[in-house]
């Protein structure tokens, strides 16, 4: 039984969830790549979710440090090398999150798809499942370990491998909208969509490869705001708005 029972009203039916965070969510307002108060708040939030009985895996992007596709598009570096730099950035972010989570009272393990055993564990499915079963947070770094694949794709891939019930994408807005709500005041937020509906309406839930993988595997996606107070816990317990994309 969870130490703190879930509220009776509105919680999601999911218990093992992979949370996808953008690297930009960790950045400081002045542009520095990490913002310690934000890290601490995220760690406290995830700790609260764990104490309420959720099993959490994390994938964080590296866009606050470098974007491989962007630097390769500038022409001074090839795409595979640029993506390798991006993978290293995700390891940096993941180690920072691991440290913050441990400080918040939750045991966390960084596991990297790019092997660097002097720094963190190398990702392997069975040890990752073991950590989750023990109630530890697994921070999955290094993307898929291959160029040309985004951390969105890595998130869905790892969620499928680790038998997660859903992927929670914590983003800049509180769900999936018919248009960009920042530029279109008439944009409508959806409460629930099927994968096929989201594809037919050309809604940018995730990049194409990630979304196709989620659809083909029947993996639900939850989209909510990273800026909401206690965002992860609030979304999972139904206390904050979100959109569910499910079969």
């Amino acid at each position: 039984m969870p130490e703190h029972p879930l509220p009776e009203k509105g919680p999601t039916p999911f218990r093992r969830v992979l949370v996808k965070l953008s690297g930009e969510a960790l950045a400081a307002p002045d542009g520095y790549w990490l913002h310690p108060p934000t890290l601490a708040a995220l760690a406290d939030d995830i700790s609260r979710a764990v104490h309420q009985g959720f099993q959490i895996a994390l994938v964080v992007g590296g866009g606050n440090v470098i974007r491989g596709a962007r630097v390769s598009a500038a022409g001074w570096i090839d795409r595979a090398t640029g993506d390798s730099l991006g993978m290293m950035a995700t390891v940096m972010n993941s180690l920072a999150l691991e440290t913050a989570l441990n400080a918040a009272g939750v045991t966390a393990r960084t596991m990297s798809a790019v092997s660097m055993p002097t720094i963190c564990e190398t990702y392997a499915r069975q040890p990752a499942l073991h950590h989750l079963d023990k109630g530890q947070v697994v921070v999955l770094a290094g993307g898929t370990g291959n160029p040309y694949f985004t951390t969105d794709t890595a998130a869905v891939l790892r969620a499928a491998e680790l038998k997660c019930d859903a992927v929670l994408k914590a983003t800049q807005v509180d769900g999936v909208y018919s248009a960009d709500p920042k530029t279109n005041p008439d944009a409508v937020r959806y409460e629930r969509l099927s994968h096929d509906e989201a594809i037919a309406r050309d809604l940018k839930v995730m990049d194409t490869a990630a979304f196709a993988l989620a659809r083909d595997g029947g993996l639900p996606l939850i989209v909510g705001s990273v800026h909401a107070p206690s965002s992860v816990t609030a979304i999972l317990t139904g206390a904050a708005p979100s959109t569910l994309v499910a079969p």
Side-chain angles (χ1 to χ4, degrees):
M1 291 292 292
E3 181 181 345
H4 305 290
L6 295 171
E8 294 182 1
K9 182 179 179 181
T12 69
F14 311 121
R15 288 300 175 267
R16 177 174 290 179
V17 179
L18 189 143
V19 178
K20 169 60 170 62
L21 297 169
S22 69
E24 288 87 348
L26 309 182
D30 64 2
Y32 187 67
W33 70 286
L34 280 181
H35 189 228
T38 297
L39 276 172
L42 282 168
D44 286 343
D45 178 18
I46 293 163
S47 172
R48 189 175 298 111
V50 170
H51 288 143
Q52 291 197 21
F54 293 100
Q55 294 181 346
I56 302 292
L58 285 167
V59 168
V60 61
N64 56 323
V65 180
I66 191 170
R67 286 189 175 276
R70 185 176 298 166
V71 297
S72 63
W76 62 274
I77 196 169
D78 64 81
R79 175 65 185 270
T81 302
D83 284 354
S84 294
L85 293 173
M87 292 178 215
M88 299 304 101
T90 70
V91 176
M92 295 164 63
N93 285 339
S94 296
L95 290 171
L97 272 172
E98 177 195 290
T99 301
L101 286 162
N102 287 328
V106 175
T107 301
R109 300 287 191 99
T110 295
M111 304 184 79
S112 174
V114 180
S115 182
M116 44 184 69
T118 60
I119 295 175
C120 61
E121 292 184 53
T122 301
Y123 172 76
R125 179 172 176 266
Q126 291 299 335
L129 286 168
H130 179 67
H131 294 326
L132 288 170
D133 287 338
K134 290 172 63 178
Q136 299 175 351
V137 176
V138 180
V139 188
L140 298 159
T144 67
N146 301 287
Y148 300 99
F149 291 96
T150 67
T151 50
D152 275 355
T153 301
V156 176
L157 174 62
R158 297 294 180 240
E161 289 181 327
L162 299 177
K163 302 179 180 178
C164 292
D165 300 315
V167 173
L168 166 55
K169 183 168 183 179
T171 184
Q172 302 299 312
V173 292
D174 60 356
V176 179
Y177 282 77
S178 58
D180 186 349
K182 295 180 180 180
T183 59
N184 186 343
D186 297 322
V188 176
R189 185 176 67 82
Y190 300 106
E191 291 288 338
R192 179 168 181 148
L193 293 160
S194 70
H195 293 88
D196 287 336
E197 286 173 329
I199 291 172
R201 297 174 189 178
D202 194 27
L203 302 174
K204 307 301 183 184
V205 180
M206 285 184 160
D207 69 73
T208 304
F211 195 77
L213 184 59
R215 179 197 60 187
D216 294 347
L219 185 66
L221 305 172
I222 312 164
V223 182
S225 173
V226 72
H227 302 297
S230 301
S231 55
V232 171
T233 307
I235 293 167
L236 292 177
T237 58
S242 63
T243 297
L244 175 64
V245 183

